Amino acid sequence: MPLSKFFVASSCALLATTSFAQEGANPGGMSPDTPGKEAAQPATEGSNTQDKLFVRQAALGGRAEVELGKIAQKKASNASVREFADRMVEVHSKSNQQLLRTGRGLNPDLPKDLDPEHQSVRNELQKASGQSFDIAYISAQIQDHQRTANLLQWHISNGQNEALKKYSIQTLPEVMQHLEHAQQTFAMLTQGAGSAR
């Protein structure tokens, strides 16, 4: 994907997710039975619909980070991309466990496989190789970390469960570091591609 198209796509994705967050709507758009604009009604355990949605969306995203990272560990041709993938598998495996421990009891109804969007990304990555793989993987990581940062910010504002809100507050800076690292890696990969022509 050309750099200009990537940044347009990323900006659109970021704006779309930000507007969900600002309106208090469903940030992932994937659970049609979740009423996005109704007032949150705390449950007896100190949670609300937003908490349940957050656990579901964050767990789906975390699972994708680990699975796509494992593919990149095997297929990446660039050492920096492999190192990034190693870090994603390690950090997100631990973070996923912490999230599910913290959100236990909410029954977020997690599917057994990746969501359709990440299945599509996985399929594309499995077909790619070399530098094309590296750029596609890192591009997906930028979009995923932008989305995750927005999801965490949305939950900090809209969640009811204090333990989950603490998890979101603690996780957000690390996600922003991963986003910055992915952006730097993308710049390095695409500059290299330009000079190779």
Side-chain angles (χ1 to χ4, degrees):
M1 174 183 288
L3 186 57
S4 60
K5 285 187 180 177
F6 167 76
F7 283 120
V8 169
S10 296
S11 298
C12 290
L14 184 58
L15 288 172
T17 340
T18 304
S19 67
F20 279 129
Q22 289 171 344
E23 294 176 13
N26 181 336
M30 294 181 59
S31 185
D33 60 337
T34 302
K37 295 189 179 182
E38 289 183 7
Q41 297 298 318
T44 54
E45 73 277 13
S47 299
N48 60 12
T49 303
Q50 282 83 347
D51 291 314
K52 184 174 181 178
L53 177 61
F54 168 73
V55 172
R56 176 184 166 82
Q57 296 299 106
L60 286 171
R63 178 189 291 168
E65 292 294 338
V66 173
E67 185 165 334
L68 300 180
K70 287 179 178 178
I71 295 172
Q73 285 176 321
K74 296 176 184 175
K75 295 191 68 174
S77 62
N78 183 285
S80 295
V81 175
R82 275 195 308 277
E83 288 170 13
F84 184 86
D86 289 342
R87 183 87 178 124
M88 293 306 97
V89 171
E90 177 189 355
V91 170
H92 285 281
S93 293
K94 291 178 184 174
S95 183
N96 293 349
Q97 291 171 2
Q98 183 185 355
L99 172 68
L100 293 176
R101 274 196 310 269
T102 306
R104 70 179 173 269
L106 292 181
N107 299 316
D109 186 30
L110 296 176
K112 293 187 174 12
D113 197 4
L114 298 180
D115 60 274
E117 181 181 348
H118 285 108
Q119 287 178 31
S120 176
V121 172
R122 178 180 60 195
N123 293 342
E124 290 303 312
L125 291 178
Q126 286 172 338
K127 295 175 191 172
S129 61
Q131 189 177 36
S132 294
F133 174 89
D134 296 342
I135 291 173
Y137 171 68
I138 292 296
S139 296
Q141 290 301 295
I142 291 171
Q143 292 182 15
D144 279 351
H145 282 86
Q146 287 173 331
R147 185 179 294 121
T148 300
N150 283 326
L151 178 64
L152 291 164
Q153 290 169 335
W154 174 85
H155 183 254
I156 290 166
S157 297
N158 294 283
Q160 181 78 27
N161 184 297
E162 288 302 321
L164 282 171
K165 286 181 79 167
K166 184 177 178 184
Y167 168 87
S168 296
I169 291 165
Q170 291 174 339
T171 304
L172 182 58
E174 188 168 46
V175 169
M176 296 304 294
Q177 287 176 357
H178 295 168
L179 174 58
E180 183 177 357
H181 187 182
Q183 290 169 331
Q184 290 168 351
T185 303
F186 181 83
M188 177 269 295
L189 290 170
T190 53
Q191 286 166 5
S195 63
R197 284 186 195 137

